[in-house]
Amino acid sequence: NKGLNMDFDDVIKGRRSTRGFLPKPVSREVLEDVVDLAIRSPSSMNTQPWHFHIITGEALDNIRKENTEKNIAGIPPSREIRSPNGYEGVHRERQIEVAIQLFKEMGIQRDDKELRNDWVLRGFRQFDAPVAVVVTFDSILKDDDISKFDCGAVVNGLVNAGWSRGLGAVINSQGIMQSPVVRRYANIPDDEIIMICVAMGYPDDSFPANKVVSNRRPVSEVAKFIGFWNYLINAAPNSNKIPSGLSINIIIARSPIL
């Protein structure tokens, strides 16, 4: 198994979303191991609001079938958390960027409606993964935003733990758009709210879209460091050279006249 004995950097930098899976079952033992790692994720005040409904076999096939049928029939989605009404600006640009990457690998042309529609249907079917992990949280916390943050943390732990065990995954909301269907076949209790789904299985390395590694903004763009200038001066007291990559905020802080 190529995933065993991976170090942390290999997991974090090697993981990518998997959208093509081998028709190979994933054992309960492996999944329990993955979940055991994931639930070490932090949560506010150690509240651990999450639950995992791990689905395979006939139940998953039924969810795929009815979710797809209802979406094709035009039945409005019934997600249980708020979803964006469409992205704009840089967020839309990043969405388009990864779509271009995926469609290029899959050979899907912009005007090829048939293949584009097939791609959407794949999402409705949770990309035909052998396992779907539906993540829920306690409904008593539905008005508490931090519980959603906690679920995000544990899902991040889940996909990384899966990758460390040789499993690919894609966080997939299309496959649970019809939440009553998911509730019925997964037997999700009324006191839990469906947050998200993770499609999981062994990656099919021949599936073109699995080659895609989405871009990330560099540290210099996403991070702002405050209060580090004195440390740099103390570390190199005889150097007047400003280290490359420092933000303008840090450079300005050096001047006594500002």
Side-chain angles (χ1 to χ4, degrees):
N1 188 325
K2 67 180 180 180
L4 295 180
N5 301 317
M6 296 174 67
D7 68 29
F8 185 76
D9 285 11
D10 288 338
V11 173
I12 299 301
K13 294 186 176 181
R15 188 208 65 79
R16 74 284 307 274
S17 292
T18 300
R19 297 176 175 86
F21 300 89
L22 296 174
K24 175 182 176 181
V26 183
S27 71
R28 177 168 176 166
E29 180 183 16
V30 169
L31 291 166
E32 286 183 347
D33 184 32
V34 168
V35 172
D36 187 51
L37 290 173
I39 59 177
R40 297 304 307 167
S41 301
S43 63
S44 176
M45 307 294 181
N46 198 35
T47 49
Q48 304 175 65
W50 49 66
H51 304 271
F52 300 90
H53 301 268
I54 304 171
I55 314 164
T56 192
E58 184 179 2
L60 181 54
D61 290 339
N62 288 332
I63 291 173
R64 281 195 242 272
K65 179 176 180 292
E66 291 195 27
N67 183 69
T68 300
E69 289 174 349
K70 289 180 181 295
N71 285 328
I72 290 175
I75 296 176
S78 52
R79 292 292 310 280
E80 297 183 7
I81 61 169
R82 288 179 296 173
S83 299
N85 293 320
Y87 294 111
E88 298 180 356
V90 295
H91 305 108
R92 176 62 175 163
E93 291 171 8
R94 293 171 195 148
Q95 181 187 27
I96 292 173
E97 180 185 39
V98 73
I100 290 173
Q101 287 180 274
L102 289 166
F103 283 10
K104 180 180 179 181
E105 289 294 339
M106 294 297 295
I108 301 175
Q109 302 299 319
R110 184 179 180 86
D111 58 351
D112 192 331
K113 292 183 179 180
E114 183 177 352
L115 286 182
R116 289 170 71 93
N117 185 58
D118 178 70
W119 185 257
V120 172
L121 295 178
R122 285 177 179 271
F124 292 163
R125 300 194 309 267
Q126 301 184 27
F127 294 95
D128 300 317
V131 173
V133 183
V134 177
V135 181
T136 67
F137 65 97
D138 297 316
S139 61
I140 196 172
L141 301 174
K142 65 180 180 179
D143 296 324
D144 175 10
D145 289 340
I146 198 69
S147 60
K148 287 81 168 175
F149 175 87
D150 294 340
C151 285
V154 83
V155 168
N156 180 63
L158 184 72
V159 297
N160 285 324
W163 190 261
S164 79
R165 297 300 189 263
L167 297 175
V170 61
I171 301 170
N172 170 253
S173 62
Q174 299 158 290
I176 55 170
M177 291 174 69
Q178 303 294 335
S179 60
V181 172
V182 181
R183 281 191 171 277
R184 183 166 73 255
Y185 288 110
N187 196 27
I188 296 175
D190 292 339
D191 61 355
E192 295 177 22
I193 293 176
I194 297 174
M195 179 76 187
I196 196 66
C197 177
V198 179
M200 183 172 282
Y202 293 102
D204 180 354
D205 292 336
S206 69
F207 190 73
N210 287 350
K211 300 176 185 177
V212 171
V213 179
S214 53
N215 294 322
R216 293 294 187 268
R217 294 182 290 158
V219 173
S220 59
E221 182 179 332
V222 303
K224 178 179 178 182
F225 295 88
I226 297 97
F228 286 86
W229 186 252
N230 288 339
Y231 168 79
L232 291 170
I233 292 176
N234 292 335
N238 297 320
S239 175
N240 291 319
K241 183 178 179 181
I242 298 173
S244 63
L246 289 180
S247 74
I248 189 65
N249 303 288
I250 298 176
I251 295 173
I252 290 174
R254 183 183 184 189
S255 174
I257 64 173
L258 295 180

